[in-house]
Amino acid sequence: MTRTEVDRAEAGQGGAGRRGGAGRWDTGFGSWRAGLGRVFRVVLRPGPWKRGPVLVVLALLLGLLMLLHGEITDYGGLGSLVETFLPWFGLFVPVLLAGALWRRSASAVVALVLPVTVWLSLFGGLLGDRSRSGGDLVVAGHNVGADNSDPVGTARDLVASGADVLGLEEITPQARPVYEKALAKAYPYHTVLGTVGLWSRLPLSDVRPVDTEMDAGPLGDSKPAAAKLPYNRALRATVATERGPLAVYVAHLGSVRVMPRSGFWTGSRDRNAKALAKAVAAEANGRMVLLGDLNGTTDDRAFVGLTSRLRSVQDAAGDGFGFTWPATFPVARIDQILVRGVEPESSWVLPPTGSDHRPVAAAISW
C-alpha cells in the first residue's frame, strides 16, 4: 500500500469516528429535548384541579344565590319569585355534580360543598318526619276553588279529615249554600263573611271581618264596610275550647302573576300581607291560629311581618315540605297554618279535592 493510500485510509477512519461521535451527541440531545417536551406537556395539561372552571363558577354562584337570597332585589318581584321556589334550587346540585364527574374536575366537586351546605342549612330540617302523636284540637284550611266542579265531594272529604275547626277560602255565592248544607251536620257553628268562612264543632263568638286593604287608595278607604263585605277575604273569630278561647283567622291574600313586562307581580298580595300582619300584631288573645291561602311560601320576604310573630306548623311538626299547589303536582306550599301560643303536634296535607289547591291540617295542643 502506498503512502497516499495509507493516508486516505486513516482519514476515512478518522472521519468515520468523528461522524459516529457527532451522531451519538445528536441522539443524546434529541432524547433530552423530547423528555423536556414531555415534562412541559404534563405540566401544562389541564389536571383534575384545573378542569371545569365554568362548573366551579356555577357551583359557587348557586351557593351564593341561596345563601344571600334575601339580598336579591325585589325589582319586578325577582326576590319573591326566587324565594317562592328556593327549595327547588337544590336540584341544580346533582346536575352540576354529574358535569363535574364527567369532566373529572376535582375543583368543581369541592365547589359544590358550598351549595350543598347552604341548602341543608335552609331545608335539611324539613326532610324528616317531625310530627308527634296527640293534640287537643285539629284545625284544617282549604282554598276550595271558585271553579270547583264538585263542592259536595270536597265538603265530604273535609268532614272525613276529622278537623274540629275548618277554614275555607274562595267561596263563591253559588257554592256557599252547598257547603253550608253539606257541612251543617258535622259543624253546627259556622260563619261566612264574603269569600271566606269558618266551620267549627265548638261555639264561635266575636266574629268580624279583617280589613286586608283589598281596596287601595282614597277611593277604597271611602267605601263603607257593607260595600266591601261581598268580596271580603279575611275574618277573625273566637273558638271556645275546653282549654280556653282561641283566636282563629281565615285569610285569602291577593293573587300573584308572572307578567311579560313587569315580571313577578305581587302588589296586592304584599299589601294584604302587611295589613294582615297589623291585625295579628294587634290581636289580644295570646293563642291564635291563622288558616289561609297566602299565595306565597313562608320563605318569601313579603311575610316577615307574619312569620316573625307566628310559627309554621309544617316547619315545626310536618313531614317533608308539605307542598299544596297546584293540586295535581304540588311545587310550593302557599296554603298555610300559622300559630302562636299553642304547640303544633303534627301537620299534614290532605288528598286533592275538586280544587286546584290541596287542603292542609294540623293537630295542636296547649
Side-chain angles (χ1 to χ4, degrees):
M1 178 181 294
T2 65
R3 180 64 181 175
T4 301
E5 292 174 341
V6 170
D7 289 340
R8 289 176 179 175
E10 289 177 352
Q13 291 175 358
R18 286 193 296 272
R19 284 194 300 271
R24 287 191 297 272
W25 185 85
D26 286 344
T27 301
F29 177 77
S31 300
W32 178 83
R33 185 172 56 184
L36 186 61
R38 285 194 295 269
V39 171
F40 274 111
R41 284 195 297 272
V42 170
V43 171
L44 297 177
R45 181 187 303 164
W49 294 101
K50 295 182 180 180
R51 298 190 193 109
V54 174
L55 294 170
V56 173
V57 172
L58 291 176
L60 294 177
L61 287 177
L62 176 62
L64 291 174
L65 183 146
M66 292 190 291
L67 179 64
L68 304 175
H69 65 86
E71 304 301 322
I72 297 175
T73 177
D74 207 30
Y75 181 77
L78 179 61
S80 287
L81 181 61
V82 169
E83 290 164 343
T84 297
F85 299 102
L86 196 58
W88 293 98
F89 280 83
L91 291 180
F92 289 108
V93 170
V95 174
L96 292 175
L97 178 60
L101 295 177
W102 179 68
R103 292 282 291 124
R104 298 181 182 179
S105 172
S107 55
V109 172
V110 172
L112 282 170
V113 171
L114 177 61
V116 169
T117 302
V118 174
W119 192 92
L120 289 175
S121 68
L122 292 173
F123 306 111
L126 301 179
L127 297 179
D129 186 355
R130 304 167 299 284
S131 64
R132 299 177 292 274
S133 60
D136 299 315
L137 196 72
V138 176
V139 297
H142 188 28
N143 180 328
V144 293
D147 298 324
N148 192 326
S149 60
D150 185 20
V152 174
T154 297
R156 183 172 56 248
D157 292 341
L158 293 173
V159 171
S161 71
D164 301 299
V165 176
L166 177 63
L168 303 185
E169 306 95 43
E170 211 167 288
I171 303 172
T172 64
Q174 297 76 19
R176 174 177 174 173
V178 177
Y179 288 114
E180 288 178 328
K181 181 179 180 180
L183 298 171
K185 184 177 180 180
Y187 301 98
Y189 308 96
H190 90 280
T191 181
V192 177
L193 296 178
T195 64
V196 293
L198 183 66
W199 277 259
S200 174
R201 302 183 193 274
L202 305 170
L204 301 176
S205 63
D206 195 16
V207 177
R208 60 178 184 268
V210 176
D211 184 9
T212 56
E213 300 182 6
M214 289 299 300
D215 294 300
L219 181 60
D221 295 338
S222 64
K223 287 185 179 181
K228 297 180 180 181
L229 189 58
Y231 54 89
N232 174 71
R233 294 174 67 152
L235 65 81
R236 184 257 184 224
T238 298
V239 178
T241 75
E242 295 180 354
R243 299 296 187 93
L246 175 70
V248 178
Y249 285 69
V250 182
H252 182 197
L253 304 188
S255 299
V256 297
R257 296 285 187 272
V258 178
M259 310 291 284
R261 293 185 178 181
S262 57
F264 191 51
W265 182 78
T266 62
S268 64
R269 185 207 64 180
D270 294 351
R271 184 176 67 251
N272 299 161
K274 290 180 180 178
L276 182 59
K278 288 181 181 178
V280 169
E283 174 58 50
N285 194 329
R287 295 170 177 165
M288 70 161 292
V289 173
L290 168 61
L291 307 167
D293 170 11
L294 303 188
N295 271 309
T297 70
T298 53
D299 295 313
D300 196 316
R301 65 191 68 185
F303 303 114
V304 171
L306 291 172
T307 55
S308 62
R309 297 180 174 90
L310 305 173
R311 300 172 64 194
S312 165
V313 296
Q314 182 64 25
D315 290 351
D319 183 5
F321 290 92
F323 295 147
T324 63
W325 180 90
T328 52
F329 186 80
V331 298
R333 183 181 176 90
I334 65 175
D335 301 274
Q336 310 292 348
I337 301 179
L338 307 178
V339 300
R340 181 182 74 193
V342 296
E343 188 64 29
E345 300 295 348
S346 57
S347 173
W348 61 98
V349 178
L350 297 168
T353 66
S355 171
D356 58 341
H357 295 245
R358 292 195 182 190
V360 291
I364 59 175
S365 63
W366 57 87

